[in-house]
Amino acid sequence: MKMHEQLWERCLKVIRDNINEASYKTWFEPIIPLQYENNRFVVQVPSQFFVEYIEEKYIDLLRRTIYREIGAGTQLEYRVLIDQTNGKGTQIPSTAEQPKLKNSNATQGAKNPYDKSSLPNIDPQLNLKYNFNTLIEGKSNKLARTAGITIGAEPGKTAFNPLFVYGESGVGKTHLANAIGVKAKQMHPDKRVLYLSANTFQIQYTDAVRNNTVNDFVNFYQTIEVLIIDDIQEFSGKTATQNTFFHIFNHLHQSGKQLVLTSDRSPLLMAGLEQRLLTRFKWGLSAEIEKPDFELRKEILKNKIYCDGLDIPEDVVNFIAQNVTDNIRDLEGVLISLLAHSTLTDMPIDLQLAEKVVSRIVSIPKKINTVEKIRDTVCDYFSIPVDAIFTKSRKREVVQARQIAMYLSKQFTKNSLSSIGKAIGERDHATVLHACKIVNDLMDTDKDFRSSVKAIEEILRN
């Protein structure tokens, strides 16, 4: 046994004594030690979900154990397996060894952003996972994404100032806003970039009024070079906050600083905001992000699956993309739920599990298949006229189409055998029974035949 394997075995003994058996088998047995070199311990995990779960639930235990058994200061890295065939993976350092970004929505214990002593080391409060590499382009977001890339490269120097991005909840506005900030910080490390929600801005302003530090508040925000405010519609009805933001906006815009604002509606539909603010919101570019279409939803799923090192069948991806249509958050939620169900219950990720998980998140309209619809679908698949089904033709393609239509009608409808036979070639119930037996036998022995039947089943389900 190699040294890194021995070290990991010692760690597992400690961990096993500190958690229940089910959790140990689920979250630690699948981990494979890969390397220990230069004070860096690398372990392989099945997916990104494993990393996130372990980091959230067990990182303190894992870190203490590694320090005890391997050595204080040992750096832990995960290797997420992306491609099973060639062993391709991606390295992820443990967040326990990395400085953590602050949650921009947190209000308790948050660092006072207008404390002058903190100005040299301003925290941009960006989520680094939300970048342009993970923001998949589609028809629904192309304009906003392209403008965002341009702004990130040269903030304050484009005609897109301010950039006002609007769209329904969950379509990717927050992702885009963060991506602009991340790119701006990457391209211009010295620039003062700040992302926050309108609600956080409102809370900070209220605190400033209470503490008589409004001037410090305004002075701080006037030093920001890329100001990104999410959900600006929350300023609605807050007259004093709007007035203060109006002066900050004017100062930044006149100084050539970049403003990026997001909202759940266009400036034309915003109520409760002063007209002078709404006018300024339209000075630059107003870009709508629409609901993602099927192709974009599918690409988002595939990208997430690839990055997380998952293995999900194509029919499951198509099913999720066809039924989870409203927003991107739901798509990601379905994948997390699928993996959790599969991991914790030891079930394969298939169409049946996907239907179960998706039905808990969105309402799936039930497909109604009639014998006539099934008959016509089969004929269309084999490019056979429907009239041919009713003839006495013994041509192989016609006979098989008739038998498959009968078989699928029995599977997908509650019609009696007699009514199925009548609708498909004026046959009796005995003919339908015989057809079902023939189709079952051929599916067991003929790969191409089975593939055709499965393809038609997929059409009928969708």
Side-chain angles (χ1 to χ4, degrees), residues 344-398:
L344 299 176
T345 62
D346 197 26
M347 292 174 62
I349 296 180
D350 55 17
L351 204 54
Q352 184 178 358
L353 181 60
E355 289 174 352
K356 180 180 178 182
V357 170
V358 171
S359 65
R360 294 176 180 176
I361 297 176
V362 298
S363 177
I364 303 175
K366 294 208 169 191
K367 303 282 184 182
I368 299 175
N369 286 303
T370 63
V371 176
E372 289 76 14
K373 179 184 175 183
I374 293 169
R375 177 197 65 201
D376 296 350
T377 301
V378 172
C379 290
D380 184 61
Y381 182 85
F382 290 111
S383 301
I384 294 173
V386 175
D387 292 346
I389 292 288
F390 290 87
T391 66
K392 294 183 178 180
S393 172
R394 302 305 300 167
K395 287 184 179 179
R396 183 170 175 270
E397 61 269 23
V398 174

CSV table of all heavy atoms in Angstrom, one decimal, residues 344-398:
chain,number,residue,atom,x,y,z
A,344,LEU,N,-28.3,8.8,-2.3
A,344,LEU,CA,-28.7,8.3,-1.0
A,344,LEU,C,-29.6,7.1,-1.1
A,344,LEU,O,-29.7,6.4,-0.1
A,344,LEU,CB,-29.5,9.5,-0.3
A,344,LEU,CG,-28.7,10.8,-0.1
A,344,LEU,CD1,-29.6,11.9,0.5
A,344,LEU,CD2,-27.5,10.4,0.8
A,345,THR,N,-30.3,6.8,-2.2
A,345,THR,CA,-31.1,5.7,-2.3
A,345,THR,C,-30.5,4.6,-3.2
A,345,THR,O,-31.2,3.5,-3.4
A,345,THR,CB,-32.5,6.1,-2.9
A,345,THR,OG1,-32.4,6.6,-4.2
A,345,THR,CG2,-33.2,7.1,-2.0
A,346,ASP,N,-29.3,4.8,-3.7
A,346,ASP,CA,-28.6,3.9,-4.6
A,346,ASP,C,-29.5,3.5,-5.8
A,346,ASP,O,-29.6,2.4,-6.2
A,346,ASP,CB,-28.3,2.6,-3.8
A,346,ASP,CG,-27.2,1.8,-4.6
A,346,ASP,OD1,-26.4,2.4,-5.4
A,346,ASP,OD2,-27.2,0.6,-4.4
A,347,MET,N,-30.2,4.5,-6.4
A,347,MET,CA,-31.0,4.3,-7.6
A,347,MET,C,-30.3,4.9,-8.8
A,347,MET,O,-29.6,5.9,-8.7
A,347,MET,CB,-32.4,5.0,-7.4
A,347,MET,CG,-33.2,4.4,-6.4
A,347,MET,SD,-34.8,5.4,-6.1
A,347,MET,CE,-35.5,5.3,-7.8
A,348,PRO,N,-30.4,4.3,-10.0
A,348,PRO,CA,-29.8,4.8,-11.2
A,348,PRO,C,-30.6,6.1,-11.6
A,348,PRO,O,-31.8,6.3,-11.4
A,348,PRO,CB,-30.0,3.7,-12.2
A,348,PRO,CG,-31.2,3.0,-11.8
A,348,PRO,CD,-31.2,3.0,-10.3
A,349,ILE,N,-29.8,7.0,-12.2
A,349,ILE,CA,-30.5,8.2,-12.8
A,349,ILE,C,-31.1,7.9,-14.1
A,349,ILE,O,-30.4,7.8,-15.1
A,349,ILE,CB,-29.5,9.4,-12.9
A,349,ILE,CG1,-28.9,9.8,-11.5
A,349,ILE,CG2,-30.1,10.6,-13.5
A,349,ILE,CD1,-27.9,10.9,-11.5
A,350,ASP,N,-32.4,7.7,-14.1
A,350,ASP,CA,-33.1,7.3,-15.4
A,350,ASP,C,-34.3,8.2,-15.5
A,350,ASP,O,-34.6,9.1,-14.7
A,350,ASP,CB,-33.4,5.8,-15.4
A,350,ASP,CG,-34.2,5.4,-14.2
A,350,ASP,OD1,-34.8,6.3,-13.5
A,350,ASP,OD2,-34.3,4.2,-13.9
A,351,LEU,N,-35.1,7.9,-16.5
A,351,LEU,CA,-36.3,8.7,-16.8
A,351,LEU,C,-37.3,8.6,-15.7
A,351,LEU,O,-38.0,9.6,-15.4
A,351,LEU,CB,-36.9,8.2,-18.1
A,351,LEU,CG,-37.8,9.3,-18.9
A,351,LEU,CD1,-37.0,10.6,-19.1
A,351,LEU,CD2,-38.2,8.7,-20.2
A,352,GLN,N,-37.4,7.4,-15.1
A,352,GLN,CA,-38.4,7.2,-14.0
A,352,GLN,C,-38.1,8.1,-12.8
A,352,GLN,O,-38.9,8.8,-12.2
A,352,GLN,CB,-38.4,5.8,-13.6
A,352,GLN,CG,-39.5,5.5,-12.6
A,352,GLN,CD,-39.6,4.0,-12.2
A,352,GLN,OE1,-38.8,3.2,-12.8
A,352,GLN,NE2,-40.4,3.6,-11.3
A,353,LEU,N,-36.8,8.1,-12.4
A,353,LEU,CA,-36.4,9.0,-11.3
A,353,LEU,C,-36.5,10.5,-11.7
A,353,LEU,O,-36.9,11.3,-10.8
A,353,LEU,CB,-34.9,8.7,-10.9
A,353,LEU,CG,-34.3,9.5,-9.7
A,353,LEU,CD1,-35.2,9.2,-8.5
A,353,LEU,CD2,-32.9,9.1,-9.5
A,354,ALA,N,-36.2,10.8,-12.9
A,354,ALA,CA,-36.3,12.2,-13.4
A,354,ALA,C,-37.7,12.7,-13.3
A,354,ALA,O,-38.0,13.8,-12.8
A,354,ALA,CB,-35.8,12.4,-14.8
A,355,GLU,N,-38.7,11.9,-13.7
A,355,GLU,CA,-40.1,12.2,-13.6
A,355,GLU,C,-40.5,12.4,-12.2
A,355,GLU,O,-41.3,13.4,-11.9
A,355,GLU,CB,-40.9,11.1,-14.3
A,355,GLU,CG,-40.8,11.1,-15.8
A,355,GLU,CD,-41.5,9.9,-16.4
A,355,GLU,OE1,-42.0,9.0,-15.6
A,355,GLU,OE2,-41.6,9.8,-17.6
A,356,LYS,N,-40.0,11.6,-11.3
A,356,LYS,CA,-40.4,11.7,-9.9
A,356,LYS,C,-39.9,13.0,-9.3
A,356,LYS,O,-40.6,13.8,-8.6
A,356,LYS,CB,-39.8,10.5,-9.1
A,356,LYS,CG,-40.1,10.5,-7.6
A,356,LYS,CD,-39.5,9.3,-7.0
A,356,LYS,CE,-39.7,9.3,-5.5
A,356,LYS,NZ,-39.1,8.1,-4.8
A,357,VAL,N,-38.6,13.4,-9.6
A,357,VAL,CA,-38.0,14.6,-9.1
A,357,VAL,C,-38.6,15.8,-9.7
A,357,VAL,O,-38.9,16.8,-9.0
A,357,VAL,CB,-36.4,14.5,-9.3
A,357,VAL,CG1,-35.8,15.9,-9.0
A,357,VAL,CG2,-35.8,13.4,-8.5
A,358,VAL,N,-38.7,15.8,-11.0
A,358,VAL,CA,-39.2,17.0,-11.7
A,358,VAL,C,-40.6,17.3,-11.3
A,358,VAL,O,-41.0,18.5,-11.1
A,358,VAL,CB,-39.1,16.9,-13.2
A,358,VAL,CG1,-39.8,18.0,-14.0
A,358,VAL,CG2,-37.7,16.8,-13.7
A,359,SER,N,-41.5,16.3,-11.1
A,359,SER,CA,-42.9,16.5,-10.7
A,359,SER,C,-43.0,17.2,-9.3
A,359,SER,O,-44.0,17.8,-9.0
A,359,SER,CB,-43.6,15.2,-10.7
A,359,SER,OG,-43.1,14.4,-9.6
A,360,ARG,N,-41.9,17.2,-8.5
A,360,ARG,CA,-42.0,17.9,-7.2
A,360,ARG,C,-41.6,19.3,-7.4
A,360,ARG,O,-41.8,20.1,-6.4
A,360,ARG,CB,-41.0,17.2,-6.3
A,360,ARG,CG,-41.4,15.8,-5.9
A,360,ARG,CD,-40.4,15.1,-5.0
A,360,ARG,NE,-40.8,13.7,-4.6
A,360,ARG,CZ,-40.1,12.9,-3.9
A,360,ARG,NH1,-38.9,13.3,-3.5
A,360,ARG,NH2,-40.5,11.7,-3.7
A,361,ILE,N,-41.1,19.7,-8.5
A,361,ILE,CA,-40.6,21.1,-8.7
A,361,ILE,C,-41.5,21.9,-9.6
A,361,ILE,O,-41.9,23.0,-9.4
A,361,ILE,CB,-39.2,21.1,-9.2
A,361,ILE,CG1,-38.2,20.5,-8.2
A,361,ILE,CG2,-38.7,22.5,-9.6
A,361,ILE,CD1,-36.8,20.4,-8.6
A,362,VAL,N,-42.0,21.2,-10.7
A,362,VAL,CA,-42.9,21.8,-11.6
A,362,VAL,C,-44.1,20.9,-11.9
A,362,VAL,O,-44.0,19.7,-11.7
A,362,VAL,CB,-42.2,22.2,-13.0
A,362,VAL,CG1,-41.0,23.2,-12.7
A,362,VAL,CG2,-41.6,20.9,-13.6
A,363,SER,N,-45.1,21.5,-12.4
A,363,SER,CA,-46.3,20.7,-12.8
A,363,SER,C,-46.1,20.1,-14.2
A,363,SER,O,-45.9,20.9,-15.1
A,363,SER,CB,-47.6,21.6,-12.7
A,363,SER,OG,-48.7,20.8,-13.2
A,364,ILE,N,-46.1,18.8,-14.3
A,364,ILE,CA,-45.9,18.2,-15.6
A,364,ILE,C,-47.3,17.8,-16.2
A,364,ILE,O,-48.0,17.0,-15.6
A,364,ILE,CB,-45.0,16.9,-15.5
A,364,ILE,CG1,-43.7,17.3,-14.9
A,364,ILE,CG2,-44.8,16.3,-16.9
A,364,ILE,CD1,-42.8,16.1,-14.6
A,365,PRO,N,-47.7,18.4,-17.3
A,365,PRO,CA,-48.9,18.1,-17.9
A,365,PRO,C,-48.9,16.6,-18.4
A,365,PRO,O,-47.9,16.2,-19.1
A,365,PRO,CB,-49.1,19.1,-19.0
A,365,PRO,CG,-47.7,19.5,-19.4
A,365,PRO,CD,-47.0,19.5,-18.1
A,366,LYS,N,-49.9,15.9,-18.1
A,366,LYS,CA,-50.0,14.5,-18.5
A,366,LYS,C,-50.3,14.4,-20.0
A,366,LYS,O,-51.2,15.0,-20.5
A,366,LYS,CB,-51.0,13.7,-17.7
A,366,LYS,CG,-50.7,13.6,-16.3
A,366,LYS,CD,-51.3,12.4,-15.7
A,366,LYS,CE,-50.7,12.2,-14.3
A,366,LYS,NZ,-51.0,10.9,-13.7
A,367,LYS,N,-49.5,13.6,-20.7
A,367,LYS,CA,-49.7,13.4,-22.1
A,367,LYS,C,-50.8,12.4,-22.3
A,367,LYS,O,-50.9,11.4,-21.7
A,367,LYS,CB,-48.4,12.8,-22.8
A,367,LYS,CG,-47.2,13.7,-22.6
A,367,LYS,CD,-47.2,14.9,-23.5
A,367,LYS,CE,-45.9,15.7,-23.4
A,367,LYS,NZ,-45.9,16.8,-24.2
A,368,ILE,N,-51.8,12.8,-23.2
A,368,ILE,CA,-52.9,11.9,-23.5
A,368,ILE,C,-52.7,11.2,-24.9
A,368,ILE,O,-52.6,11.9,-25.9
A,368,ILE,CB,-54.2,12.7,-23.5
A,368,ILE,CG1,-54.4,13.3,-22.1
A,368,ILE,CG2,-55.4,11.7,-23.8
A,368,ILE,CD1,-55.6,14.1,-22.0
A,369,ASN,N,-52.5,10.0,-24.8
A,369,ASN,CA,-52.3,9.2,-26.1
A,369,ASN,C,-53.5,8.4,-26.4
A,369,ASN,O,-54.0,7.6,-25.6
A,369,ASN,CB,-51.0,8.3,-26.0
A,369,ASN,CG,-49.7,9.1,-26.0
A,369,ASN,OD1,-49.5,9.8,-27.0
A,369,ASN,ND2,-48.9,8.9,-25.0
A,370,THR,N,-54.0,8.6,-27.6
A,370,THR,CA,-55.2,7.8,-28.0
A,370,THR,C,-54.7,6.7,-29.0
A,370,THR,O,-53.5,6.8,-29.5
A,370,THR,CB,-56.2,8.6,-28.8
A,370,THR,OG1,-55.6,9.2,-29.9
A,370,THR,CG2,-56.7,9.8,-27.9
A,371,VAL,N,-55.5,5.7,-29.2
A,371,VAL,CA,-55.1,4.6,-30.2
A,371,VAL,C,-54.8,5.2,-31.5
A,371,VAL,O,-53.9,4.9,-32.2
A,371,VAL,CB,-56.2,3.5,-30.2
A,371,VAL,CG1,-55.8,2.5,-31.3
A,371,VAL,CG2,-56.4,2.9,-28.9
A,372,GLU,N,-55.7,6.2,-31.9
A,372,GLU,CA,-55.5,6.8,-33.2
A,372,GLU,C,-54.2,7.6,-33.3
A,372,GLU,O,-53.5,7.5,-34.4
A,372,GLU,CB,-56.7,7.7,-33.5
A,372,GLU,CG,-58.1,7.0,-33.8
A,372,GLU,CD,-58.7,6.5,-32.5
A,372,GLU,OE1,-58.2,6.9,-31.4
A,372,GLU,OE2,-59.6,5.7,-32.6
A,373,LYS,N,-53.9,8.3,-32.3
A,373,LYS,CA,-52.6,9.0,-32.3
A,373,LYS,C,-51.4,8.1,-32.3
A,373,LYS,O,-50.5,8.4,-33.1
A,373,LYS,CB,-52.5,9.9,-31.0
A,373,LYS,CG,-51.3,10.7,-30.9
A,373,LYS,CD,-51.2,11.5,-29.6
A,373,LYS,CE,-49.8,12.2,-29.5
A,373,LYS,NZ,-49.7,12.9,-28.2
A,374,ILE,N,-51.5,7.0,-31.6
A,374,ILE,CA,-50.4,6.0,-31.6
A,374,ILE,C,-50.3,5.4,-33.0
A,374,ILE,O,-49.2,5.3,-33.5
A,374,ILE,CB,-50.6,5.0,-30.5
A,374,ILE,CG1,-50.5,5.6,-29.1
A,374,ILE,CG2,-49.6,3.8,-30.7
A,374,ILE,CD1,-51.0,4.7,-28.0
A,375,ARG,N,-51.4,5.0,-33.6
A,375,ARG,CA,-51.4,4.4,-34.9
A,375,ARG,C,-50.8,5.4,-35.9
A,375,ARG,O,-49.9,5.0,-36.7
A,375,ARG,CB,-52.8,4.1,-35.3
A,375,ARG,CG,-53.0,3.6,-36.7
A,375,ARG,CD,-54.5,3.7,-37.1
A,375,ARG,NE,-54.9,5.1,-37.2
A,375,ARG,CZ,-56.1,5.6,-37.2
A,375,ARG,NH1,-57.1,4.7,-37.0
A,375,ARG,NH2,-56.4,6.9,-37.3
A,376,ASP,N,-51.2,6.7,-35.9
A,376,ASP,CA,-50.6,7.6,-36.8
A,376,ASP,C,-49.2,7.9,-36.6
A,376,ASP,O,-48.4,8.1,-37.5
A,376,ASP,CB,-51.4,9.0,-36.7
A,376,ASP,CG,-52.9,8.8,-37.1
A,376,ASP,OD1,-53.2,7.7,-37.7
A,376,ASP,OD2,-53.7,9.7,-36.9
A,377,THR,N,-48.7,7.9,-35.3
A,377,THR,CA,-47.3,8.2,-35.0
A,377,THR,C,-46.4,7.0,-35.5
A,377,THR,O,-45.4,7.3,-36.1
A,377,THR,CB,-47.1,8.3,-33.5
A,377,THR,OG1,-47.9,9.4,-33.0
A,377,THR,CG2,-45.7,8.6,-33.1
A,378,VAL,N,-46.9,5.8,-35.4
A,378,VAL,CA,-46.1,4.7,-35.9
A,378,VAL,C,-46.0,4.7,-37.4
A,378,VAL,O,-44.9,4.5,-37.9
A,378,VAL,CB,-46.8,3.3,-35.4
A,378,VAL,CG1,-46.2,2.1,-36.1
A,378,VAL,CG2,-46.7,3.2,-33.9
A,379,CYS,N,-47.1,5.0,-38.0
A,379,CYS,CA,-47.1,5.1,-39.5
A,379,CYS,C,-46.2,6.2,-40.0
A,379,CYS,O,-45.4,6.0,-40.9
A,379,CYS,CB,-48.5,5.4,-40.0
A,379,CYS,SG,-49.6,3.9,-39.9
A,380,ASP,N,-46.2,7.3,-39.3
A,380,ASP,CA,-45.3,8.5,-39.6
A,380,ASP,C,-43.9,8.1,-39.4
A,380,ASP,O,-43.0,8.4,-40.3
A,380,ASP,CB,-45.7,9.7,-38.8
A,380,ASP,CG,-44.9,10.9,-39.2
A,380,ASP,OD1,-45.0,11.3,-40.3
A,380,ASP,OD2,-44.1,11.4,-38.3
A,381,TYR,N,-43.6,7.3,-38.4
A,381,TYR,CA,-42.2,6.9,-38.1
A,381,TYR,C,-41.6,6.0,-39.2
A,381,TYR,O,-40.5,6.2,-39.6
A,381,TYR,CB,-42.1,6.2,-36.7
A,381,TYR,CG,-40.7,5.8,-36.3
A,381,TYR,CD1,-39.9,6.7,-35.6
A,381,TYR,CD2,-40.3,4.5,-36.6
A,381,TYR,CE1,-38.6,6.3,-35.3
A,381,TYR,CE2,-39.0,4.1,-36.2
A,381,TYR,CZ,-38.2,5.0,-35.6
A,381,TYR,OH,-36.9,4.6,-35.2
A,382,PHE,N,-42.5,5.1,-39.7
A,382,PHE,CA,-42.0,4.2,-40.7
A,382,PHE,C,-42.3,4.7,-42.1
A,382,PHE,O,-42.1,4.0,-43.1
A,382,PHE,CB,-42.6,2.8,-40.5
A,382,PHE,CG,-42.1,2.1,-39.3
A,382,PHE,CD1,-42.9,1.9,-38.2
A,382,PHE,CD2,-40.8,1.6,-39.3
A,382,PHE,CE1,-42.4,1.2,-37.1
A,382,PHE,CE2,-40.3,0.9,-38.2
A,382,PHE,CZ,-41.1,0.7,-37.1
A,383,SER,N,-42.9,5.9,-42.2
A,383,SER,CA,-43.2,6.5,-43.5
A,383,SER,C,-44.2,5.6,-44.3
A,383,SER,O,-44.0,5.4,-45.5
A,383,SER,CB,-41.9,6.8,-44.3
A,383,SER,OG,-41.1,7.7,-43.7
A,384,ILE,N,-45.2,5.2,-43.6
A,384,ILE,CA,-46.2,4.3,-44.2
A,384,ILE,C,-47.6,5.1,-44.1
A,384,ILE,O,-47.9,5.6,-43.1
A,384,ILE,CB,-46.4,3.0,-43.4
A,384,ILE,CG1,-45.1,2.2,-43.5
A,384,ILE,CG2,-47.6,2.2,-43.9
A,384,ILE,CD1,-45.1,1.0,-42.7
A,385,PRO,N,-48.3,5.1,-45.2
A,385,PRO,CA,-49.7,5.7,-45.2
A,385,PRO,C,-50.6,5.0,-44.2
A,385,PRO,O,-50.5,3.8,-44.1
A,385,PRO,CB,-50.2,5.5,-46.6
A,385,PRO,CG,-49.0,5.3,-47.4
A,385,PRO,CD,-48.0,4.6,-46.6
A,386,VAL,N,-51.3,5.8,-43.4
A,386,VAL,CA,-52.2,5.2,-42.4
A,386,VAL,C,-53.2,4.2,-43.1
A,386,VAL,O,-53.5,3.1,-42.5
A,386,VAL,CB,-53.0,6.3,-41.7
A,386,VAL,CG1,-54.1,5.7,-40.8
A,386,VAL,CG2,-52.1,7.2,-41.0
A,387,ASP,N,-53.6,4.5,-44.3
A,387,ASP,CA,-54.5,3.6,-45.1
A,387,ASP,C,-53.9,2.2,-45.2
A,387,ASP,O,-54.7,1.2,-45.3
A,387,ASP,CB,-54.8,4.1,-46.5
A,387,ASP,CG,-55.6,5.4,-46.4
A,387,ASP,OD1,-56.2,5.7,-45.3
A,387,ASP,OD2,-55.7,6.1,-47.4
A,388,ALA,N,-52.6,2.1,-45.3
A,388,ALA,CA,-52.0,0.8,-45.5
A,388,ALA,C,-52.3,-0.2,-44.3
A,388,ALA,O,-52.3,-1.4,-44.5
A,388,ALA,CB,-50.5,0.9,-45.7
A,389,ILE,N,-52.4,0.4,-43.1
A,389,ILE,CA,-52.7,-0.4,-41.9
A,389,ILE,C,-54.0,-1.2,-42.1
A,389,ILE,O,-54.2,-2.3,-41.6
A,389,ILE,CB,-52.8,0.5,-40.7
A,389,ILE,CG1,-51.4,1.1,-40.4
A,389,ILE,CG2,-53.4,-0.2,-39.5
A,389,ILE,CD1,-50.4,0.1,-39.8
A,390,PHE,N,-55.0,-0.6,-42.8
A,390,PHE,CA,-56.3,-1.2,-43.0
A,390,PHE,C,-56.4,-2.2,-44.1
A,390,PHE,O,-57.4,-2.9,-44.3
A,390,PHE,CB,-57.4,-0.1,-43.2
A,390,PHE,CG,-57.6,0.7,-41.9
A,390,PHE,CD1,-56.8,1.8,-41.7
A,390,PHE,CD2,-58.6,0.4,-41.0
A,390,PHE,CE1,-57.0,2.6,-40.5
A,390,PHE,CE2,-58.8,1.1,-39.9
A,390,PHE,CZ,-58.0,2.2,-39.6
A,391,THR,N,-55.3,-2.3,-44.9
A,391,THR,CA,-55.3,-3.3,-46.0
A,391,THR,C,-55.0,-4.7,-45.5
A,391,THR,O,-54.5,-4.9,-44.4
A,391,THR,CB,-54.4,-2.8,-47.1
A,391,THR,OG1,-53.0,-2.9,-46.6
A,391,THR,CG2,-54.6,-1.4,-47.6
A,392,LYS,N,-55.0,-5.6,-46.4
A,392,LYS,CA,-54.6,-7.0,-46.1
A,392,LYS,C,-53.2,-7.3,-46.5
A,392,LYS,O,-52.8,-8.4,-46.6
A,392,LYS,CB,-55.6,-8.0,-46.7
A,392,LYS,CG,-57.0,-7.9,-46.2
A,392,LYS,CD,-57.9,-9.0,-46.8
A,392,LYS,CE,-59.3,-9.0,-46.2
A,392,LYS,NZ,-60.2,-10.0,-46.8
A,393,SER,N,-52.5,-6.2,-46.8
A,393,SER,CA,-51.1,-6.3,-47.2
A,393,SER,C,-50.3,-7.2,-46.2
A,393,SER,O,-50.4,-7.0,-45.0
A,393,SER,CB,-50.5,-4.9,-47.4
A,393,SER,OG,-49.1,-5.1,-47.6
A,394,ARG,N,-49.4,-8.1,-46.8
A,394,ARG,CA,-48.6,-8.9,-45.9
A,394,ARG,C,-47.1,-8.4,-46.0
A,394,ARG,O,-46.2,-9.1,-45.6
A,394,ARG,CB,-48.6,-10.4,-46.4
A,394,ARG,CG,-50.0,-11.0,-46.3
A,394,ARG,CD,-50.7,-10.8,-44.9
A,394,ARG,NE,-49.9,-11.5,-43.9
A,394,ARG,CZ,-50.1,-11.3,-42.6
A,394,ARG,NH1,-51.0,-10.4,-42.1
A,394,ARG,NH2,-49.3,-11.9,-41.7
A,395,LYS,N,-46.9,-7.2,-46.6
A,395,LYS,CA,-45.6,-6.7,-46.6
A,395,LYS,C,-45.0,-6.5,-45.2
A,395,LYS,O,-45.8,-6.1,-44.3
A,395,LYS,CB,-45.6,-5.3,-47.3
A,395,LYS,CG,-45.8,-5.3,-48.8
A,395,LYS,CD,-45.7,-3.9,-49.4
A,395,LYS,CE,-45.9,-4.0,-50.9
A,395,LYS,NZ,-45.9,-2.6,-51.5
A,396,ARG,N,-43.8,-6.9,-45.0
A,396,ARG,CA,-43.2,-6.9,-43.7
A,396,ARG,C,-43.3,-5.6,-42.9
A,396,ARG,O,-43.7,-5.5,-41.8
A,396,ARG,CB,-41.7,-7.3,-43.8
A,396,ARG,CG,-41.0,-7.5,-42.5
A,396,ARG,CD,-39.6,-8.1,-42.7
A,396,ARG,NE,-38.9,-8.2,-41.5
A,396,ARG,CZ,-38.0,-7.2,-41.0
A,396,ARG,NH1,-37.9,-6.1,-41.8
A,396,ARG,NH2,-37.4,-7.4,-39.9
A,397,GLU,N,-43.0,-4.5,-43.6
A,397,GLU,CA,-43.0,-3.2,-43.0
A,397,GLU,C,-44.5,-2.8,-42.5
A,397,GLU,O,-44.6,-2.2,-41.5
A,397,GLU,CB,-42.4,-2.1,-43.8
A,397,GLU,CG,-43.2,-1.8,-45.2
A,397,GLU,CD,-42.6,-2.7,-46.3
A,397,GLU,OE1,-42.0,-3.7,-46.0
A,397,GLU,OE2,-42.8,-2.3,-47.5
A,398,VAL,N,-45.5,-3.2,-43.3
A,398,VAL,CA,-46.9,-2.8,-42.9
A,398,VAL,C,-47.3,-3.7,-41.8
A,398,VAL,O,-47.9,-3.2,-40.8
A,398,VAL,CB,-47.8,-3.1,-44.2
A,398,VAL,CG1,-49.3,-2.9,-43.7
A,398,VAL,CG2,-47.4,-2.1,-45.3
